[in-house]
Amino acid sequence: MSARIRALSVVMPARDEARLLPAALDALEEARTALEHLRPDVTTEVLVVLDSCVDTSAEIVASHTPRVRALEIDAGSVGAARSAGVAALLRDAAHPPAQHWICTTDADSTVPLHWLLDHLRAAEAGAALALGHVRPRSGDLGESELSRWREDYARTLLHIHGANLGVRADAYRRLGGFTAVVEHEDVSLALRARAAGETVVLLPESIVTTSGRLEGRTPGGFAGYLRDRCAVPEWS
């Protein structure tokens, strides 16, 4: 199925990310401006889901209004945060689900300038779900850790990251959306999409830079992946 996209929304969960959130919002604004310059017919919006935040994340988001709006929840679950964010966007949607593309990223991540354009092109080419790549932020990992990460990442054919994922709203509804789990809600959605025969496309050239910390907000997630794959040599 291919349809011209009329609305492109971004959901960004945040849980005490005041240190990294400003850069994440700045990068997203640059990507949004680039999209709006080339496609002024596409309505864009950004929603930050502040989940159980006790730092200054809310104030940071407020400083970016009206270009960014906030939704505050108390779930302690990235799956619940993404789900609540998408639900809020769909409640307020002005366009049909088949013309509405939803991207997700994270508050510890910075998107490239062409990120939204990459997702828009995938959507208008008929994708129901698009999966992009990520890379750790420069300086967060040592050279040996980064080398192990590169080797492992190159060996994996399918990468699924909530920090770089897009889905058409009608497909999202068919698939049941994000589940309220503490991690791997992105994997669950992608696997359900493949099992249902939805059109899933990969965006290997669309790379989001994300935190390379080894202790994240969840037991696993990307931080757990880095810890397992990079911090300790595989032969140990």
mmCIF file of all heavy atoms in Angstrom, residues 44-81:
data_model
loop_
_atom_site.group_PDB
_atom_site.id
_atom_site.type_symbol
_atom_site.label_atom_id
_atom_site.label_comp_id
_atom_site.label_asym_id
_atom_site.label_seq_id
_atom_site.Cartn_x
_atom_site.Cartn_y
_atom_site.Cartn_z
ATOM 1 N N THR A 44 3.982 18.508 10.637
ATOM 2 C CA THR A 44 4.881 17.812 11.567
ATOM 3 C C THR A 44 4.568 18.210 13.003
ATOM 4 O O THR A 44 4.086 19.317 13.273
ATOM 5 C CB THR A 44 6.360 18.134 11.278
ATOM 6 O OG1 THR A 44 6.599 19.524 11.499
ATOM 7 C CG2 THR A 44 6.732 17.770 9.855
ATOM 8 N N GLU A 45 4.853 17.302 13.916
ATOM 9 C CA GLU A 45 4.698 17.583 15.341
ATOM 10 C C GLU A 45 5.640 16.690 16.133
ATOM 11 O O GLU A 45 6.018 15.601 15.689
ATOM 12 C CB GLU A 45 3.257 17.374 15.803
ATOM 13 C CG GLU A 45 2.729 15.962 15.614
ATOM 14 C CD GLU A 45 1.267 15.818 16.031
ATOM 15 O OE1 GLU A 45 0.839 16.536 16.962
ATOM 16 O OE2 GLU A 45 0.560 14.996 15.418
ATOM 17 N N VAL A 46 6.022 17.166 17.313
ATOM 18 C CA VAL A 46 6.922 16.431 18.196
ATOM 19 C C VAL A 46 6.288 16.367 19.579
ATOM 20 O O VAL A 46 5.895 17.399 20.135
ATOM 21 C CB VAL A 46 8.309 17.098 18.283
ATOM 22 C CG1 VAL A 46 9.180 16.380 19.307
ATOM 23 C CG2 VAL A 46 8.980 17.111 16.919
ATOM 24 N N LEU A 47 6.210 15.165 20.125
ATOM 25 C CA LEU A 47 5.663 14.957 21.460
ATOM 26 C C LEU A 47 6.704 14.244 22.312
ATOM 27 O O LEU A 47 7.149 13.146 21.979
ATOM 28 C CB LEU A 47 4.390 14.117 21.394
ATOM 29 C CG LEU A 47 3.754 13.746 22.734
ATOM 30 C CD1 LEU A 47 3.276 14.992 23.480
ATOM 31 C CD2 LEU A 47 2.592 12.781 22.528
ATOM 32 N N VAL A 48 7.102 14.872 23.411
ATOM 33 C CA VAL A 48 8.006 14.250 24.372
ATOM 34 C C VAL A 48 7.170 13.691 25.517
ATOM 35 O O VAL A 48 6.395 14.428 26.144
ATOM 36 C CB VAL A 48 9.038 15.256 24.920
ATOM 37 C CG1 VAL A 48 9.941 14.576 25.952
ATOM 38 C CG2 VAL A 48 9.872 15.834 23.786
ATOM 39 N N VAL A 49 7.310 12.399 25.771
ATOM 40 C CA VAL A 49 6.577 11.756 26.861
ATOM 41 C C VAL A 49 7.489 11.714 28.080
ATOM 42 O O VAL A 49 8.461 10.957 28.120
ATOM 43 C CB VAL A 49 6.120 10.341 26.473
ATOM 44 C CG1 VAL A 49 5.283 9.734 27.599
ATOM 45 C CG2 VAL A 49 5.314 10.374 25.175
ATOM 46 N N LEU A 50 7.192 12.540 29.059
ATOM 47 C CA LEU A 50 7.987 12.641 30.287
ATOM 48 C C LEU A 50 7.475 11.588 31.266
ATOM 49 O O LEU A 50 6.415 11.740 31.872
ATOM 50 C CB LEU A 50 7.855 14.042 30.871
ATOM 51 C CG LEU A 50 8.336 15.175 29.959
ATOM 52 C CD1 LEU A 50 7.820 16.516 30.448
ATOM 53 C CD2 LEU A 50 9.858 15.182 29.866
ATOM 54 N N ASP A 51 8.234 10.531 31.403
ATOM 55 C CA ASP A 51 7.815 9.392 32.220
ATOM 56 C C ASP A 51 8.550 9.396 33.562
ATOM 57 O O ASP A 51 9.743 9.124 33.618
ATOM 58 C CB ASP A 51 8.097 8.088 31.463
ATOM 59 C CG ASP A 51 7.587 6.856 32.205
ATOM 60 O OD1 ASP A 51 6.872 7.009 33.216
ATOM 61 O OD2 ASP A 51 7.914 5.738 31.770
ATOM 62 N N SER A 52 7.824 9.702 34.628
ATOM 63 C CA SER A 52 8.366 9.641 35.991
ATOM 64 C C SER A 52 9.601 10.519 36.158
ATOM 65 O O SER A 52 10.523 10.158 36.895
ATOM 66 C CB SER A 52 8.691 8.192 36.370
ATOM 67 O OG SER A 52 7.611 7.329 36.122
ATOM 68 N N CYS A 53 9.645 11.650 35.484
ATOM 69 C CA CYS A 53 10.822 12.525 35.551
ATOM 70 C C CYS A 53 10.835 13.322 36.862
ATOM 71 O O CYS A 53 9.817 13.887 37.268
ATOM 72 C CB CYS A 53 10.834 13.493 34.376
ATOM 73 S SG CYS A 53 11.166 12.713 32.781
ATOM 74 N N VAL A 54 12.021 13.387 37.467
ATOM 75 C CA VAL A 54 12.196 14.202 38.677
ATOM 76 C C VAL A 54 13.305 15.231 38.473
ATOM 77 O O VAL A 54 13.668 15.944 39.409
ATOM 78 C CB VAL A 54 12.494 13.328 39.918
ATOM 79 C CG1 VAL A 54 11.324 12.411 40.225
ATOM 80 C CG2 VAL A 54 13.761 12.504 39.712
ATOM 81 N N ASP A 55 13.841 15.302 37.268
ATOM 82 C CA ASP A 55 14.884 16.282 36.961
ATOM 83 C C ASP A 55 14.258 17.473 36.240
ATOM 84 O O ASP A 55 13.068 17.748 36.409
ATOM 85 C CB ASP A 55 16.019 15.635 36.159
ATOM 86 C CG ASP A 55 15.565 15.169 34.776
ATOM 87 O OD1 ASP A 55 14.356 15.289 34.463
ATOM 88 O OD2 ASP A 55 16.407 14.697 34.002
ATOM 89 N N THR A 56 15.017 18.176 35.459
ATOM 90 C CA THR A 56 14.502 19.378 34.782
ATOM 91 C C THR A 56 14.070 19.113 33.341
ATOM 92 O O THR A 56 13.970 20.049 32.543
ATOM 93 C CB THR A 56 15.588 20.481 34.791
ATOM 94 O OG1 THR A 56 16.761 20.001 34.102
ATOM 95 C CG2 THR A 56 15.941 20.886 36.205
ATOM 96 N N SER A 57 13.788 17.869 33.005
ATOM 97 C CA SER A 57 13.369 17.548 31.638
ATOM 98 C C SER A 57 12.122 18.327 31.224
ATOM 99 O O SER A 57 12.017 18.799 30.080
ATOM 100 C CB SER A 57 13.113 16.047 31.497
ATOM 101 O OG SER A 57 14.303 15.301 31.613
ATOM 102 N N ALA A 58 11.163 18.474 32.121
ATOM 103 C CA ALA A 58 9.920 19.188 31.796
ATOM 104 C C ALA A 58 10.211 20.643 31.439
ATOM 105 O O ALA A 58 9.621 21.189 30.494
ATOM 106 C CB ALA A 58 8.945 19.101 32.964
ATOM 107 N N GLU A 59 11.115 21.269 32.181
ATOM 108 C CA GLU A 59 11.457 22.660 31.898
ATOM 109 C C GLU A 59 12.160 22.793 30.548
ATOM 110 O O GLU A 59 11.946 23.763 29.805
ATOM 111 C CB GLU A 59 12.354 23.218 33.003
ATOM 112 C CG GLU A 59 11.634 23.453 34.317
ATOM 113 C CD GLU A 59 11.535 22.221 35.192
ATOM 114 O OE1 GLU A 59 11.810 21.096 34.689
ATOM 115 O OE2 GLU A 59 11.185 22.365 36.372
ATOM 116 N N ILE A 60 12.976 21.815 30.220
ATOM 117 C CA ILE A 60 13.674 21.840 28.928
ATOM 118 C C ILE A 60 12.667 21.747 27.789
ATOM 119 O O ILE A 60 12.745 22.496 26.805
ATOM 120 C CB ILE A 60 14.706 20.707 28.857
ATOM 121 C CG1 ILE A 60 15.842 20.971 29.849
ATOM 122 C CG2 ILE A 60 15.253 20.554 27.441
ATOM 123 C CD1 ILE A 60 16.762 19.801 30.055
ATOM 124 N N VAL A 61 11.706 20.840 27.906
ATOM 125 C CA VAL A 61 10.684 20.710 26.864
ATOM 126 C C VAL A 61 9.869 21.994 26.778
ATOM 127 O O VAL A 61 9.569 22.487 25.680
ATOM 128 C CB VAL A 61 9.779 19.497 27.141
ATOM 129 C CG1 VAL A 61 8.636 19.448 26.139
ATOM 130 C CG2 VAL A 61 10.591 18.203 27.074
ATOM 131 N N ALA A 62 9.527 22.563 27.920
ATOM 132 C CA ALA A 62 8.728 23.792 27.934
ATOM 133 C C ALA A 62 9.440 24.931 27.198
ATOM 134 O O ALA A 62 8.791 25.774 26.572
ATOM 135 C CB ALA A 62 8.419 24.197 29.377
ATOM 136 N N SER A 63 10.764 24.928 27.261
ATOM 137 C CA SER A 63 11.526 25.992 26.585
ATOM 138 C C SER A 63 11.475 25.846 25.071
ATOM 139 O O SER A 63 11.894 26.766 24.350
ATOM 140 C CB SER A 63 12.981 25.984 27.064
ATOM 141 O OG SER A 63 13.690 24.859 26.552
ATOM 142 N N HIS A 64 10.987 24.701 24.581
ATOM 143 C CA HIS A 64 10.909 24.468 23.135
ATOM 144 C C HIS A 64 9.477 24.613 22.601
ATOM 145 O O HIS A 64 9.236 24.339 21.421
ATOM 146 C CB HIS A 64 11.447 23.077 22.783
ATOM 147 C CG HIS A 64 12.940 22.974 22.841
ATOM 148 N ND1 HIS A 64 13.637 22.953 24.021
ATOM 149 C CD2 HIS A 64 13.875 22.895 21.857
ATOM 150 C CE1 HIS A 64 14.944 22.854 23.769
ATOM 151 N NE2 HIS A 64 15.102 22.818 22.464
ATOM 152 N N THR A 65 8.539 24.994 23.438
ATOM 153 C CA THR A 65 7.187 25.210 22.948
ATOM 154 C C THR A 65 7.146 26.487 22.106
ATOM 155 O O THR A 65 7.945 27.398 22.333
ATOM 156 C CB THR A 65 6.193 25.347 24.123
ATOM 157 O OG1 THR A 65 6.636 26.398 24.988
ATOM 158 C CG2 THR A 65 6.069 24.060 24.895
ATOM 159 N N PRO A 66 6.258 26.556 21.104
ATOM 160 C CA PRO A 66 5.207 25.604 20.768
ATOM 161 C C PRO A 66 5.629 24.520 19.785
ATOM 162 O O PRO A 66 4.801 23.699 19.385
ATOM 163 C CB PRO A 66 4.151 26.503 20.131
ATOM 164 C CG PRO A 66 4.970 27.543 19.410
ATOM 165 C CD PRO A 66 6.165 27.798 20.293
ATOM 166 N N ARG A 67 6.904 24.473 19.411
ATOM 167 C CA ARG A 67 7.354 23.480 18.439
ATOM 168 C C ARG A 67 7.354 22.068 19.013
ATOM 169 O O ARG A 67 7.303 21.095 18.267
ATOM 170 C CB ARG A 67 8.748 23.840 17.932
ATOM 171 C CG ARG A 67 8.805 25.094 17.090
ATOM 172 C CD ARG A 67 8.277 24.858 15.693
ATOM 173 N NE ARG A 67 9.227 24.150 14.850
ATOM 174 C CZ ARG A 67 8.969 23.735 13.618
ATOM 175 N NH1 ARG A 67 7.772 23.918 13.091
ATOM 176 N NH2 ARG A 67 9.878 23.115 12.898
ATOM 177 N N VAL A 68 7.431 21.967 20.315
ATOM 178 C CA VAL A 68 7.442 20.668 20.989
ATOM 179 C C VAL A 68 6.408 20.706 22.107
ATOM 180 O O VAL A 68 6.298 21.711 22.810
ATOM 181 C CB VAL A 68 8.832 20.362 21.580
ATOM 182 C CG1 VAL A 68 8.834 19.005 22.296
ATOM 183 C CG2 VAL A 68 9.907 20.396 20.496
ATOM 184 N N ARG A 69 5.663 19.636 22.257
ATOM 185 C CA ARG A 69 4.742 19.569 23.388
ATOM 186 C C ARG A 69 5.060 18.362 24.250
ATOM 187 O O ARG A 69 5.749 17.433 23.810
ATOM 188 C CB ARG A 69 3.287 19.573 22.935
ATOM 189 C CG ARG A 69 2.828 18.397 22.098
ATOM 190 C CD ARG A 69 1.409 18.669 21.611
ATOM 191 N NE ARG A 69 0.871 17.611 20.781
ATOM 192 C CZ ARG A 69 -0.050 16.729 21.194
ATOM 193 N NH1 ARG A 69 -0.517 16.784 22.438
ATOM 194 N NH2 ARG A 69 -0.510 15.799 20.376
ATOM 195 N N ALA A 70 4.553 18.388 25.463
ATOM 196 C CA ALA A 70 4.891 17.352 26.436
ATOM 197 C C ALA A 70 3.643 16.611 26.892
ATOM 198 O O ALA A 70 2.537 17.157 26.931
ATOM 199 C CB ALA A 70 5.592 17.968 27.639
ATOM 200 N N LEU A 71 3.860 15.356 27.238
ATOM 201 C CA LEU A 71 2.850 14.534 27.887
ATOM 202 C C LEU A 71 3.516 13.919 29.105
ATOM 203 O O LEU A 71 4.544 13.247 28.976
ATOM 204 C CB LEU A 71 2.352 13.436 26.941
ATOM 205 C CG LEU A 71 1.427 12.376 27.557
ATOM 206 C CD1 LEU A 71 0.097 13.000 27.977
ATOM 207 C CD2 LEU A 71 1.199 11.225 26.572
ATOM 208 N N GLU A 72 2.968 14.138 30.283
ATOM 209 C CA GLU A 72 3.553 13.599 31.508
ATOM 210 C C GLU A 72 2.784 12.366 31.957
ATOM 211 O O GLU A 72 1.555 12.377 32.058
ATOM 212 C CB GLU A 72 3.559 14.667 32.614
ATOM 213 C CG GLU A 72 4.449 15.851 32.286
ATOM 214 C CD GLU A 72 4.712 16.746 33.485
ATOM 215 O OE1 GLU A 72 4.908 16.193 34.599
ATOM 216 O OE2 GLU A 72 4.721 17.975 33.321
ATOM 217 N N ILE A 73 3.524 11.294 32.224
ATOM 218 C CA ILE A 73 2.934 10.054 32.734
ATOM 219 C C ILE A 73 3.802 9.543 33.873
ATOM 220 O O ILE A 73 4.906 10.043 34.104
ATOM 221 C CB ILE A 73 2.801 8.971 31.635
ATOM 222 C CG1 ILE A 73 4.189 8.520 31.158
ATOM 223 C CG2 ILE A 73 1.970 9.485 30.460
ATOM 224 C CD1 ILE A 73 4.132 7.291 30.239
ATOM 225 N N ASP A 74 3.317 8.557 34.570
ATOM 226 C CA ASP A 74 4.062 7.970 35.680
ATOM 227 C C ASP A 74 3.994 6.454 35.558
ATOM 228 O O ASP A 74 3.365 5.777 36.359
ATOM 229 C CB ASP A 74 3.486 8.439 37.021
ATOM 230 C CG ASP A 74 4.324 8.004 38.213
ATOM 231 O OD1 ASP A 74 5.522 7.702 38.009
ATOM 232 O OD2 ASP A 74 3.791 7.951 39.334
ATOM 233 N N ALA A 75 4.650 5.944 34.522
ATOM 234 C CA ALA A 75 4.575 4.503 34.229
ATOM 235 C C ALA A 75 5.875 3.771 34.525
ATOM 236 O O ALA A 75 5.866 2.593 34.850
ATOM 237 C CB ALA A 75 4.185 4.293 32.768
ATOM 238 N N GLY A 76 7.008 4.454 34.364
ATOM 239 C CA GLY A 76 8.285 3.778 34.553
ATOM 240 C C GLY A 76 8.512 2.682 33.536
ATOM 241 O O GLY A 76 9.145 1.674 33.825
ATOM 242 N N SER A 77 8.003 2.883 32.326
ATOM 243 C CA SER A 77 8.070 1.860 31.281
ATOM 244 C C SER A 77 8.184 2.540 29.934
ATOM 245 O O SER A 77 7.302 3.320 29.557
ATOM 246 C CB SER A 77 6.813 0.984 31.315
ATOM 247 O OG SER A 77 6.597 0.329 30.084
ATOM 248 N N VAL A 78 9.251 2.237 29.204
ATOM 249 C CA VAL A 78 9.428 2.878 27.894
ATOM 250 C C VAL A 78 8.347 2.422 26.920
ATOM 251 O O VAL A 78 7.889 3.204 26.073
ATOM 252 C CB VAL A 78 10.837 2.599 27.336
ATOM 253 C CG1 VAL A 78 11.029 1.125 26.995
ATOM 254 C CG2 VAL A 78 11.114 3.477 26.114
ATOM 255 N N GLY A 79 7.890 1.175 27.044
ATOM 256 C CA GLY A 79 6.806 0.704 26.191
ATOM 257 C C GLY A 79 5.524 1.465 26.449
ATOM 258 O O GLY A 79 4.821 1.879 25.519
ATOM 259 N N ALA A 80 5.216 1.683 27.724
ATOM 260 C CA ALA A 80 4.026 2.451 28.082
ATOM 261 C C ALA A 80 4.156 3.892 27.623
ATOM 262 O O ALA A 80 3.178 4.517 27.194
ATOM 263 C CB ALA A 80 3.792 2.385 29.590
ATOM 264 N N ALA A 81 5.374 4.443 27.715
ATOM 265 C CA ALA A 81 5.596 5.831 27.290
ATOM 266 C C ALA A 81 5.385 5.980 25.787
ATOM 267 O O ALA A 81 4.710 6.916 25.327
ATOM 268 C CB ALA A 81 6.999 6.275 27.685
#
